[in-house]
Amino acid sequence: MLRDWPGLMIMFRARRMALAQLILGCGLSISVHFDAFRAAPRAYLTAAKWWVLRKRVRARGQFAPLLARSPRAYALWGVRDEWANRDPSPQGQSPPIIALVACDGPSAALDQTLHSLAAEGLTALTVSPDPAHDLAAASAAIDWAAGPWLLPLAAGDRLAPGAAAAYRAAMTDPAARLIYADDDLLDRWDRRGAPHFKPEWNSELFDHHDYLTGACIVEAGRDDLAAVAGQTDWAAALVARALAVGGAPARIRRVLHHRRARPQPRLSLSPLPIAADLPLVSVIIPTRNRVDLLRTCLAGVAAAYCSAIEVIVVDNDSDDPATLDFLAGLEGSGVRVLRHAGPFNYPAINNRAVAEAKGELICLLNNDIEMLAPDWLAIMATQALRDEVGAVGAQLLYPDGRIQHAGVVIGVGNAAGHAHRFLRPGDTGYFHRHSLPQFVSAVTAACLVVKRDRFLAVGGLDETSFPVAFNDVDLCLKLNQCGWQSFYEPRAALVHHESVSRGFDHDPAGAARFAGELAALQRAWQTDEIVDPFHHPQLSRASEQFVVAL
């Protein structure tokens, strides 16, 4: 019995620790719910009502942003994550990881960084303007024959326990010269907050927001370090050099860095250089009645800065006399009017028009879109001409100015959701993602530009499985599979009077139709299982706003 005593003590300590974690987690959970109720009592009670009525998807979608706004939300997440990701001490020292710590001299912040590196078994070299500790001195102290990876850090930053083991476990892709991880910020009291759960490698987003430097390791040689010596921001230069010669960076979906500061997004977007000699763009506008909306939409198309535009209006059984008169008047104005009878089928309407279109580029456009500036189409067309780009989507706003669409996230609601919905364009949101051009998994066909040959290469829109909903998501995912990635362009901003002309489906038949389309999407793309590569497993699947999953 005595021989089992050490094992019993270990088991007792583990159970006591688990109980402490449970008690702490329960206390924080109650506090987070209280914070959410106090901040927005009506919204909280509405979400609770849907939960009681067993409308769980709707309830989770409403609870998620409310709970995430609590100042204790990340602490609650951290308790659960700490227990779920207890790593053993790092095994071995190969390949070596050498930390390069930028500092201006001895300080308490530097001591904290060095202590965290020592706990991970990593060698640390301080880098400062002092010639005795500059990059050249650091390079001379490194055994380059061992093939080291470099870990640039700032004094005051810390590594999470198990970070070295996690990085070494990720060194499996021989093409990648850079591996990055998630991070959070430490405040003056060393409390963690503002987590950045990062997307898969997104070169366009990185052009506007350096989310790698300070939270990554780089496979580098003596020449790489010599090339960035003397540069003020040598860490960012080292990252850029690795990106220029290596494959796509690898990502670790864990918070491995606790930081004092981060690079900020560059929000002052330069005007996009418009491609010279833009090809003919065929703008396809399905419509039914609501001549007021169509008139506004066509005026915005006519005012677009685009040298060659073909406009095709597809009428789906309009019966309003004013609309019919307006459509008859369009016949002699250069606008083509096609008649498409029968039940509303968005793919069938657009596929027919694409078959008759003459443009190299296709613009799918709802009749309830209102243009804010004349450069929207030229911007989207320019991006759509890029070799690696498939469907291009705009930033769409509700009439009250809030965001309706800033790209589509796969998996939200176990289907697909509009990213950053209900934010104001000037809000911080999630690291200003709604304000930055970037690759995304899908965009909405309410305003979408794509090359005609690429649209046809993937079979166009699916008329059978997705007559009303998710046809644009399905199209984008098919394009992505062919290497033509969807793209979100916020410099093209428009107003979307969502579903004003067609209305929403609240009747039993409409609900049944939507359920069938949702099931088809899940069968085709496993949206109830997969995590969008440009989202994150630790961000809520219940919310279109990017909030921590609780």
Side-chain angles (χ1 to χ4, degrees):
M1 187 69 179
L2 289 176
R3 280 180 295 180
D4 294 337
W5 183 250
L8 290 172
M9 289 299 296
I10 292 172
M11 183 177 66
F12 174 74
R13 290 194 191 99
R15 290 183 176 178
R16 184 175 62 182
M17 189 176 299
L19 179 61
Q21 294 286 115
L22 178 63
I23 294 171
L24 177 59
C26 288
L28 280 171
S29 183
I30 293 170
S31 298
V32 166
H33 276 271
F34 177 75
D35 291 341
F37 173 75
R38 184 173 57 180
R42 178 173 295 182
Y44 184 92
L45 291 175
T46 299
K49 177 192 73 173
W50 293 123
W51 186 267
V52 170
L53 293 175
R54 304 185 67 80
K55 301 289 187 180
R56 298 299 168 85
V57 173
R58 185 178 303 179
R60 289 190 183 100
Q62 295 183 10
F63 267 130
L66 296 175
L67 300 178
R69 293 189 193 111
S70 166
R72 289 174 275 207
Y74 185 51
L76 173 60
W77 177 91
V79 168
R80 298 170 178 174
D81 179 70
E82 182 181 357
W83 183 251
N85 289 298
R86 291 183 177 276
D87 284 321
S89 299
Q91 301 293 318
Q93 298 294 318
S94 181
I97 300 175
I98 309 297
L100 302 178
V101 185
C103 64
D104 293 326
S107 67
L110 175 60
D111 291 341
Q112 293 172 346
T113 301
L114 297 178
H115 182 268
S116 94
L117 293 169
E120 291 297 295
L122 299 184
T123 299
L125 300 173
T126 57
V127 179
S128 71
D130 181 354
H133 296 284
D134 61 11
L135 279 180
S139 180
I142 295 173
D143 179 9
W144 293 107
W149 287 66
L150 303 182
L151 170 62
L153 293 176
D157 290 1
R158 304 178 191 173
L159 291 186
Y167 271 128
R168 287 197 175 96
M171 296 177 185
T172 56
D173 183 356
R177 293 192 61 198
L178 188 149
I179 304 171
Y180 66 99
D182 302 327
D183 58 46
D184 58 24
L185 289 182
L186 297 170
D187 66 13
R188 58 186 299 185
W189 297 282
D190 285 344
R191 294 177 304 196
R192 294 168 54 189
H196 192 177
F197 298 114
K198 302 173 185 178
E200 291 283 4
W201 174 237
N202 193 321
S203 58
E204 186 73 24
L205 178 63
F206 182 76
D207 285 344
H208 305 281
H209 182 197
D210 178 359
Y211 60 89
L212 305 184
T213 301
C216 66
I217 61 172
V218 178
E219 186 179 30
R222 189 193 306 271
D223 292 344
D224 296 306
L225 213 54
V228 302
Q231 298 193 37
T232 303
D233 196 351
W234 56 265
L238 193 63
V239 166
R241 187 173 173 85
L243 293 174
V245 298
R251 173 179 68 153
I252 298 175
R253 294 191 263 191
R254 280 185 53 194
V255 175
L256 299 185
H257 294 260
H258 310 309
R259 309 176 67 179
R260 297 294 175 181
R262 296 184 179 115
Q264 294 300 304
R266 296 182 288 277
L267 297 178
S268 298
L269 298 179
S270 302
L272 181 71
I274 301 303
D277 301 321
L278 283 173
L280 177 66
V281 183
S282 295
V283 180
I284 298 170
I285 309 173
T287 195
R288 175 181 168 85
N289 296 327
R290 292 306 302 264
V291 65
D292 54 330
L293 295 174
L294 180 60
R295 184 180 286 112
T296 299
C297 180
L298 287 174
V301 173
Y305 292 160
C306 219
S307 56
I309 301 176
E310 173 191 40
V311 181
I312 303 174
V313 174
V314 190
D315 178 43
N316 183 213
D317 289 340
S318 291
D319 54 13
D320 169 57
T323 302
L324 294 174
D325 287 344
F326 179 76
L327 292 174
L330 290 177
E331 299 286 1
S333 66
V335 175
R336 296 177 62 192
V337 179
L338 301 180
R339 309 290 178 176
H340 188 93
F344 180 81
N345 184 308
Y346 186 83
I349 291 170
N350 283 281
N351 287 344
R352 180 190 169 192
V354 170
E356 300 195 25
K358 301 174 183 176
E360 179 181 336
L361 293 174
I362 298 294
C363 174
L364 306 183
L365 189 66
N366 280 18
N367 68 342
D368 54 1
I369 295 291
E370 179 182 349
M371 293 66 182
L372 298 176
D375 59 355
W376 65 277
L377 186 55
I379 290 172
M380 297 178 71
T382 295
Q383 298 289 24
L385 290 174
R386 292 168 53 175
D387 291 340
E388 72 276 25
V389 170
V392 178
Q395 181 182 89
L396 300 183
L397 307 175
Y398 287 111
D400 66 2
R402 294 180 299 166
I403 289 175
Q404 185 256 342
H405 168 269
V408 171
V409 178
I410 306 302
V412 168
N414 289 332
H418 286 188
H420 316 291
R421 194 200 291 261
F422 302 129
L423 289 180
R424 297 278 176 183
D427 289 346
T428 300
Y430 193 72
F431 299 96
H432 296 279
R433 285 275 292 272
H434 60 286
S435 301
L436 304 176
Q438 61 202 271
F439 292 109
V440 292
S441 288
V443 294
T444 178
C447 181
L448 179 155
V449 176
V450 64
K451 278 191 169 184
R452 183 176 184 273
D453 60 354
R454 295 180 179 179
F455 180 92
L456 295 174
V458 299
L461 296 165
D462 188 329
E463 303 176 16
T464 304
S465 299
F466 308 107
V468 177
F470 304 126
N471 43 70
D472 45 7
V473 174
D474 177 69
L475 171 69
C476 289
L477 294 177
K478 291 186 294 188
L479 290 165
N480 296 348
Q481 275 192 335
C482 294
W484 302 315
Q485 191 64 44
S486 303
F487 191 93
Y488 165 62
E489 179 49 87
R491 284 170 288 200
L494 308 96
V495 175
H496 185 200
H497 302 267
E498 187 180 27
S499 296
V500 171
S501 60
R502 198 183 66 82
F504 292 96
D505 292 314
H506 295 304
D507 60 285
R513 187 266 311 153
F514 179 84
E517 290 172 317
L518 174 58
L521 185 72
Q522 293 175 343
R523 285 194 304 271
W525 299 105
Q526 293 77 52
T527 59
D528 52 340
E529 299 175 6
I530 65 170
V531 175
D532 190 311
F534 302 117
H535 204 239
H536 196 287
Q538 299 303 332
L539 294 174
S540 175
R541 292 173 66 91
S543 176
E544 291 173 307
Q545 297 180 23
F546 287 28
V547 296
V548 64
L550 297 177

mmCIF file of all heavy atoms in Angstrom, residues 11 86 101 127 151 160 177 191 194 252 257 303 305 325 340-341 350 373 396 416 433 447 487 497 509 526:
data_model
loop_
_atom_site.group_PDB
_atom_site.id
_atom_site.type_symbol
_atom_site.label_atom_id
_atom_site.label_comp_id
_atom_site.label_asym_id
_atom_site.label_seq_id
_atom_site.Cartn_x
_atom_site.Cartn_y
_atom_site.Cartn_z
ATOM 1 N N MET A 11 -2.821 11.472 -7.903
ATOM 2 C CA MET A 11 -4.224 11.424 -8.279
ATOM 3 C C MET A 11 -5.056 12.393 -7.437
ATOM 4 O O MET A 11 -5.941 13.092 -7.952
ATOM 5 C CB MET A 11 -4.758 10.003 -8.124
ATOM 6 C CG MET A 11 -6.214 9.840 -8.570
ATOM 7 S SD MET A 11 -6.775 8.127 -8.460
ATOM 8 C CE MET A 11 -6.732 7.888 -6.683
ATOM 9 N N ARG A 86 -3.025 21.279 -21.098
ATOM 10 C CA ARG A 86 -1.878 21.094 -20.214
ATOM 11 C C ARG A 86 -0.832 20.250 -20.929
ATOM 12 O O ARG A 86 -1.032 19.071 -21.173
ATOM 13 C CB ARG A 86 -2.304 20.411 -18.912
ATOM 14 C CG ARG A 86 -3.166 21.307 -18.040
ATOM 15 C CD ARG A 86 -3.500 20.633 -16.738
ATOM 16 N NE ARG A 86 -4.273 21.531 -15.897
ATOM 17 C CZ ARG A 86 -3.740 22.457 -15.102
ATOM 18 N NH1 ARG A 86 -2.438 22.574 -15.029
ATOM 19 N NH2 ARG A 86 -4.502 23.236 -14.371
ATOM 20 N N VAL A 101 15.623 38.595 -28.228
ATOM 21 C CA VAL A 101 14.777 39.468 -27.435
ATOM 22 C C VAL A 101 15.220 40.910 -27.626
ATOM 23 O O VAL A 101 16.336 41.282 -27.222
ATOM 24 C CB VAL A 101 14.824 39.089 -25.941
ATOM 25 C CG1 VAL A 101 13.827 39.937 -25.149
ATOM 26 C CG2 VAL A 101 14.530 37.603 -25.754
ATOM 27 N N VAL A 127 18.983 41.553 -27.920
ATOM 28 C CA VAL A 127 19.379 42.374 -29.065
ATOM 29 C C VAL A 127 19.063 43.823 -28.728
ATOM 30 O O VAL A 127 17.912 44.164 -28.415
ATOM 31 C CB VAL A 127 18.638 41.954 -30.353
ATOM 32 C CG1 VAL A 127 19.048 42.833 -31.514
ATOM 33 C CG2 VAL A 127 18.903 40.489 -30.668
ATOM 34 N N LEU A 151 13.220 32.982 -32.824
ATOM 35 C CA LEU A 151 11.990 33.431 -32.172
ATOM 36 C C LEU A 151 12.160 34.882 -31.757
ATOM 37 O O LEU A 151 12.669 35.172 -30.678
ATOM 38 C CB LEU A 151 11.692 32.544 -30.957
ATOM 39 C CG LEU A 151 10.590 32.966 -29.985
ATOM 40 C CD1 LEU A 151 9.240 33.012 -30.700
ATOM 41 C CD2 LEU A 151 10.522 32.020 -28.802
ATOM 42 N N ALA A 160 3.664 31.077 -23.418
ATOM 43 C CA ALA A 160 2.781 30.233 -22.632
ATOM 44 C C ALA A 160 3.481 28.914 -22.333
ATOM 45 O O ALA A 160 4.332 28.463 -23.105
ATOM 46 C CB ALA A 160 1.485 29.973 -23.392
ATOM 47 N N ARG A 177 8.784 28.195 -43.870
ATOM 48 C CA ARG A 177 9.907 28.753 -43.126
ATOM 49 C C ARG A 177 9.427 29.614 -41.970
ATOM 50 O O ARG A 177 10.231 30.277 -41.310
ATOM 51 C CB ARG A 177 10.791 29.596 -44.051
ATOM 52 C CG ARG A 177 11.514 28.775 -45.129
ATOM 53 C CD ARG A 177 12.573 29.610 -45.799
ATOM 54 N NE ARG A 177 13.586 30.051 -44.852
ATOM 55 C CZ ARG A 177 14.420 31.066 -45.082
ATOM 56 N NH1 ARG A 177 14.344 31.747 -46.219
ATOM 57 N NH2 ARG A 177 15.321 31.417 -44.193
ATOM 58 N N ARG A 191 -2.622 41.026 -16.320
ATOM 59 C CA ARG A 191 -3.845 40.291 -16.636
ATOM 60 C C ARG A 191 -3.947 40.141 -18.147
ATOM 61 O O ARG A 191 -3.655 41.061 -18.894
ATOM 62 C CB ARG A 191 -5.071 41.037 -16.105
ATOM 63 C CG ARG A 191 -5.129 41.111 -14.590
ATOM 64 C CD ARG A 191 -6.316 41.918 -14.123
ATOM 65 N NE ARG A 191 -6.317 43.258 -14.702
ATOM 66 C CZ ARG A 191 -7.056 44.277 -14.249
ATOM 67 N NH1 ARG A 191 -7.863 44.097 -13.217
ATOM 68 N NH2 ARG A 191 -6.996 45.464 -14.825
ATOM 69 N N ALA A 194 -7.763 40.721 -24.685
ATOM 70 C CA ALA A 194 -7.683 41.005 -26.126
ATOM 71 C C ALA A 194 -7.035 39.877 -26.910
ATOM 72 O O ALA A 194 -6.037 40.076 -27.618
ATOM 73 C CB ALA A 194 -6.917 42.311 -26.363
ATOM 74 N N ILE A 252 -0.439 27.548 -35.690
ATOM 75 C CA ILE A 252 -0.792 26.792 -34.482
ATOM 76 C C ILE A 252 -2.008 27.476 -33.873
ATOM 77 O O ILE A 252 -1.957 28.668 -33.537
ATOM 78 C CB ILE A 252 0.365 26.763 -33.471
ATOM 79 C CG1 ILE A 252 1.582 26.072 -34.079
ATOM 80 C CG2 ILE A 252 -0.061 26.042 -32.191
ATOM 81 C CD1 ILE A 252 2.808 26.104 -33.194
ATOM 82 N N HIS A 257 1.596 33.142 -27.037
ATOM 83 C CA HIS A 257 2.316 34.376 -26.731
ATOM 84 C C HIS A 257 1.441 35.310 -25.908
ATOM 85 O O HIS A 257 0.282 35.555 -26.261
ATOM 86 C CB HIS A 257 2.733 35.090 -28.021
ATOM 87 C CG HIS A 257 3.739 34.332 -28.836
ATOM 88 N ND1 HIS A 257 5.077 34.620 -28.826
ATOM 89 C CD2 HIS A 257 3.588 33.277 -29.680
ATOM 90 C CE1 HIS A 257 5.712 33.780 -29.646
ATOM 91 N NE2 HIS A 257 4.820 32.966 -30.171
ATOM 92 N N ALA A 303 -23.922 55.178 -63.529
ATOM 93 C CA ALA A 303 -22.931 56.160 -63.084
ATOM 94 C C ALA A 303 -21.581 55.540 -62.765
ATOM 95 O O ALA A 303 -20.636 56.253 -62.417
ATOM 96 C CB ALA A 303 -23.460 56.890 -61.847
ATOM 97 N N TYR A 305 -17.878 54.076 -62.760
ATOM 98 C CA TYR A 305 -16.661 54.346 -63.520
ATOM 99 C C TYR A 305 -16.177 53.045 -64.161
ATOM 100 O O TYR A 305 -15.294 52.368 -63.679
ATOM 101 C CB TYR A 305 -15.561 54.880 -62.603
ATOM 102 C CG TYR A 305 -15.801 56.247 -62.039
ATOM 103 C CD1 TYR A 305 -15.130 56.676 -60.905
ATOM 104 C CD2 TYR A 305 -16.688 57.136 -62.629
ATOM 105 C CE1 TYR A 305 -15.332 57.933 -60.374
ATOM 106 C CE2 TYR A 305 -16.898 58.400 -62.113
ATOM 107 C CZ TYR A 305 -16.228 58.796 -60.973
ATOM 108 O OH TYR A 305 -16.431 60.043 -60.450
ATOM 109 N N ASP A 325 -44.354 49.152 -67.374
ATOM 110 C CA ASP A 325 -44.105 50.310 -68.235
ATOM 111 C C ASP A 325 -42.621 50.684 -68.226
ATOM 112 O O ASP A 325 -42.036 51.009 -69.272
ATOM 113 C CB ASP A 325 -44.941 51.502 -67.765
ATOM 114 C CG ASP A 325 -46.418 51.324 -68.091
ATOM 115 O OD1 ASP A 325 -46.742 50.447 -68.923
ATOM 116 O OD2 ASP A 325 -47.245 52.053 -67.488
ATOM 117 N N HIS A 340 -38.300 35.914 -67.485
ATOM 118 C CA HIS A 340 -38.121 34.594 -66.891
ATOM 119 C C HIS A 340 -39.356 34.284 -66.050
ATOM 120 O O HIS A 340 -39.502 34.789 -64.937
ATOM 121 C CB HIS A 340 -36.856 34.554 -66.027
ATOM 122 C CG HIS A 340 -36.509 33.170 -65.544
ATOM 123 N ND1 HIS A 340 -35.643 32.341 -66.219
ATOM 124 C CD2 HIS A 340 -36.934 32.477 -64.459
ATOM 125 C CE1 HIS A 340 -35.543 31.194 -65.572
ATOM 126 N NE2 HIS A 340 -36.305 31.255 -64.489
ATOM 127 N N ALA A 341 -40.227 33.457 -66.563
ATOM 128 C CA ALA A 341 -41.473 33.137 -65.871
ATOM 129 C C ALA A 341 -41.275 31.974 -64.912
ATOM 130 O O ALA A 341 -40.330 31.200 -65.025
ATOM 131 C CB ALA A 341 -42.561 32.802 -66.897
ATOM 132 N N ASN A 350 -30.157 33.661 -63.036
ATOM 133 C CA ASN A 350 -28.834 34.188 -63.351
ATOM 134 C C ASN A 350 -28.087 33.322 -64.354
ATOM 135 O O ASN A 350 -27.377 33.848 -65.224
ATOM 136 C CB ASN A 350 -28.019 34.338 -62.060
ATOM 137 C CG ASN A 350 -28.428 35.554 -61.267
ATOM 138 O OD1 ASN A 350 -28.039 36.676 -61.584
ATOM 139 N ND2 ASN A 350 -29.222 35.347 -60.232
ATOM 140 N N ALA A 373 -20.814 55.305 -54.282
ATOM 141 C CA ALA A 373 -19.759 55.983 -55.041
ATOM 142 C C ALA A 373 -19.637 55.308 -56.398
ATOM 143 O O ALA A 373 -19.925 54.118 -56.531
ATOM 144 C CB ALA A 373 -18.427 55.928 -54.285
ATOM 145 N N LEU A 396 -21.383 45.541 -47.863
ATOM 146 C CA LEU A 396 -22.778 45.945 -47.983
ATOM 147 C C LEU A 396 -23.275 46.454 -46.646
ATOM 148 O O LEU A 396 -23.020 45.848 -45.597
ATOM 149 C CB LEU A 396 -23.639 44.763 -48.454
ATOM 150 C CG LEU A 396 -23.255 44.158 -49.810
ATOM 151 C CD1 LEU A 396 -24.238 43.056 -50.192
ATOM 152 C CD2 LEU A 396 -23.190 45.216 -50.895
ATOM 153 N N ALA A 416 -23.673 29.056 -42.884
ATOM 154 C CA ALA A 416 -22.783 30.128 -43.314
ATOM 155 C C ALA A 416 -23.403 31.440 -42.866
ATOM 156 O O ALA A 416 -24.622 31.609 -42.934
ATOM 157 C CB ALA A 416 -22.590 30.112 -44.828
ATOM 158 N N ARG A 433 -11.149 43.810 -38.942
ATOM 159 C CA ARG A 433 -11.185 42.914 -40.096
ATOM 160 C C ARG A 433 -12.214 43.373 -41.130
ATOM 161 O O ARG A 433 -12.016 43.185 -42.335
ATOM 162 C CB ARG A 433 -11.499 41.481 -39.645
ATOM 163 C CG ARG A 433 -10.361 40.737 -38.968
ATOM 164 C CD ARG A 433 -9.434 40.064 -39.962
ATOM 165 N NE ARG A 433 -10.076 38.973 -40.661
ATOM 166 C CZ ARG A 433 -10.108 37.723 -40.240
ATOM 167 N NH1 ARG A 433 -9.554 37.391 -39.086
ATOM 168 N NH2 ARG A 433 -10.692 36.782 -40.962
ATOM 169 N N CYS A 447 -24.084 41.267 -54.480
ATOM 170 C CA CYS A 447 -23.198 42.084 -55.315
ATOM 171 C C CYS A 447 -21.897 41.310 -55.446
ATOM 172 O O CYS A 447 -21.072 41.304 -54.527
ATOM 173 C CB CYS A 447 -22.960 43.463 -54.709
ATOM 174 S SG CYS A 447 -21.902 44.520 -55.732
ATOM 175 N N PHE A 487 -12.920 36.786 -52.382
ATOM 176 C CA PHE A 487 -12.206 38.000 -51.965
ATOM 177 C C PHE A 487 -13.216 39.042 -51.492
ATOM 178 O O PHE A 487 -14.215 39.295 -52.164
ATOM 179 C CB PHE A 487 -11.401 38.550 -53.152
ATOM 180 C CG PHE A 487 -10.427 39.631 -52.804
ATOM 181 C CD1 PHE A 487 -9.113 39.323 -52.515
ATOM 182 C CD2 PHE A 487 -10.819 40.960 -52.761
ATOM 183 C CE1 PHE A 487 -8.198 40.324 -52.193
ATOM 184 C CE2 PHE A 487 -9.925 41.962 -52.440
ATOM 185 C CZ PHE A 487 -8.603 41.641 -52.155
ATOM 186 N N HIS A 497 -30.761 47.011 -49.429
ATOM 187 C CA HIS A 497 -32.090 46.972 -48.813
ATOM 188 C C HIS A 497 -32.553 45.519 -48.834
ATOM 189 O O HIS A 497 -33.351 45.108 -49.666
ATOM 190 C CB HIS A 497 -33.057 47.872 -49.582
ATOM 191 C CG HIS A 497 -32.601 49.302 -49.658
ATOM 192 N ND1 HIS A 497 -32.981 50.251 -48.754
ATOM 193 C CD2 HIS A 497 -31.763 49.937 -50.531
ATOM 194 C CE1 HIS A 497 -32.423 51.415 -49.060
ATOM 195 N NE2 HIS A 497 -31.684 51.247 -50.138
ATOM 196 N N ALA A 509 -44.117 26.666 -46.047
ATOM 197 C CA ALA A 509 -43.466 26.184 -47.262
ATOM 198 C C ALA A 509 -42.064 26.774 -47.411
ATOM 199 O O ALA A 509 -41.112 26.076 -47.778
ATOM 200 C CB ALA A 509 -44.324 26.520 -48.481
ATOM 201 N N GLN A 526 -20.235 19.981 -45.552
ATOM 202 C CA GLN A 526 -20.017 19.676 -44.118
ATOM 203 C C GLN A 526 -19.928 20.949 -43.270
ATOM 204 O O GLN A 526 -19.068 21.081 -42.393
ATOM 205 C CB GLN A 526 -18.748 18.827 -43.921
ATOM 206 C CG GLN A 526 -18.837 17.422 -44.484
ATOM 207 C CD GLN A 526 -18.680 17.380 -45.996
ATOM 208 O OE1 GLN A 526 -17.712 17.923 -46.549
ATOM 209 N NE2 GLN A 526 -19.624 16.759 -46.689
#
